[in-house]
Amino acid sequence: MKFPRPRPARRPLLAATALAALTALAPGALALAPTGLPAPEKGLNLLVVGIDSRKNVTPEEKERFHLGGHECDCTDVMMLVHVSAANDRVEIVSMPRDSLTTLPAGHVDRRTGQTHPAHPAKINNAWAEGGSSLAVETVESRTGLPVHRYLEIDFRRFMDTVDRVDGGVPICTEQPLKDPSTAIDLQPGTKWVAGGEALQYVRSRKADGKMDFGRIQKQQQFVVNTLRRLHDGILDDPAALKAFAATLRGTGAVERGISTAELLTLAAHLRDLPPERMEFATVPVRGFNPDIEGVGSTLAWDEEGAAEVFGRLAEDRPLPAAEAVAPSEIPVGAYKPSKGSSLICP
């Protein structure tokens, strides 16, 4: 499907916090309560997760957009979004799904009903074992930051939300991208996509040799370009903006879930935020850990670098520069913050 190019944006970018969720591939929803958006002295932290779920996706869509295969019932995406107390900056830090963590003792496995001792796991398994509450607890423990609000979204909601952006969203690449797992086959340049093709793009991790790090970069790029597209109509249409937010958050209830009203409040707070005041990064990674029985291959965070990143957010300060963090043993996993303005497709 070919979409027309958008009119030039009339305003800077909308709330990155609400729309970072567009790249999360998870089921579940946002709670209708609580009703009051927190205003912490050191800024607001929103955890956005995406879970590999094909619930309510039709057989035709599974075939067309290559959404078959086994559901992992775990988070494929984790983004910690920090909104400064002054609403003049947004930092988004992605946490790779294979990051090694320790799940706490005493949690009840939602799949088996068993109570587990503390044990090593990939960070994406926190949701699989304990749902949203354990995912939040694990991220708080791993980062040292409080999570004030939480958002999760599945394949169905992702596609439906993107389809509310009239005219589609641009994706772009400087090199050919071909991934047999998701069936994307992109030539250099820009392409306009709707919900299903957008999902193929943000799920792709085998197209460029960068593994999950490449997928994270695609997701971050997609967030910025979706925000840019919203300025072509939805921001000037209160009913359409409310419908967009309602589609994004769904109807279920989860602990600390952000409501539609709170998403709209964030949008109002950050309405005039320019893209250069948004910054994206992946948590600093040292390298791979030795395989762990029952867990497999995992990523080791650069603990000093991660402490610097999350310590700055705890103080409501911008992310550290790349030079402030030690080089990674995985070249494609190097810590390299990017301004939102650098991710906009031409």
Side-chain angles (χ1 to χ4, degrees), residues 119-277:
H119 64 91
K122 295 179 181 180
I123 200 168
N124 69 345
N125 205 49
W127 192 95
E129 289 194 20
S132 60
S133 60
L134 186 58
V136 167
E137 180 181 353
T138 301
V139 169
E140 288 185 327
S141 173
R142 201 71 180 87
T143 65
L145 293 172
V147 172
H148 303 109
R149 285 294 182 267
Y150 173 88
L151 174 64
E152 62 183 48
I153 187 171
D154 64 2
F155 287 3
R156 174 78 275 152
R157 189 168 303 120
F158 178 91
M159 292 190 290
D160 290 348
T161 304
V162 175
D163 283 341
R164 285 196 174 275
V165 182
D166 187 28
V169 176
I171 57 176
C172 52
T173 177
E174 295 180 353
Q175 299 177 345
L177 295 178
K178 188 171 184 177
D179 185 344
S181 297
T182 60
I184 68 164
D185 188 358
L186 301 176
Q187 296 303 310
T190 299
K191 180 179 181 180
W192 294 79
V193 296
E197 285 186 289
L199 182 57
Q200 288 175 278
Y201 179 72
V202 299
R203 291 184 64 223
S204 175
R205 63 190 300 268
K206 299 179 180 179
D208 51 16
K210 297 180 181 180
M211 306 174 290
D212 204 34
F213 300 104
R215 176 164 63 176
I216 286 171
Q217 292 169 1
K218 296 179 186 69
Q219 293 163 357
Q220 294 174 347
Q221 180 201 72
F222 189 80
V223 169
V224 173
N225 285 282
T226 301
L227 291 167
R228 183 170 180 253
R229 287 291 291 117
L230 292 182
H231 286 81
D232 295 319
I234 290 181
L235 285 184
D236 296 323
D237 186 337
L241 182 59
K242 184 176 181 180
F244 181 92
T247 301
L248 180 64
R249 73 100 169 140
T251 58
V254 293
E255 183 179 352
R256 302 188 218 180
I258 193 167
S259 68
T260 297
E262 290 171 340
L263 285 173
L264 294 172
T265 298
L266 278 175
H269 287 171
L270 300 173
R271 183 182 183 93
D272 295 324
L273 186 74
E276 59 268 18
R277 299 294 291 174

Side-chain angles (χ1 to χ4, degrees), residues 251-305:
T251 58
V254 293
E255 183 179 352
R256 302 188 218 180
I258 193 167
S259 68
T260 297
E262 290 171 340
L263 285 173
L264 294 172
T265 298
L266 278 175
H269 287 171
L270 300 173
R271 183 182 183 93
D272 295 324
L273 186 74
E276 59 268 18
R277 299 294 291 174
M278 297 168 53
E279 195 161 28
F280 294 81
T282 300
V283 65
V285 170
R286 174 175 54 79
F288 289 103
N289 292 302
D291 281 7
I292 300 173
E293 185 177 357
V295 179
S297 177
T298 59
L299 289 170
W301 286 9
D302 172 353
E303 297 297 342
E304 290 187 6

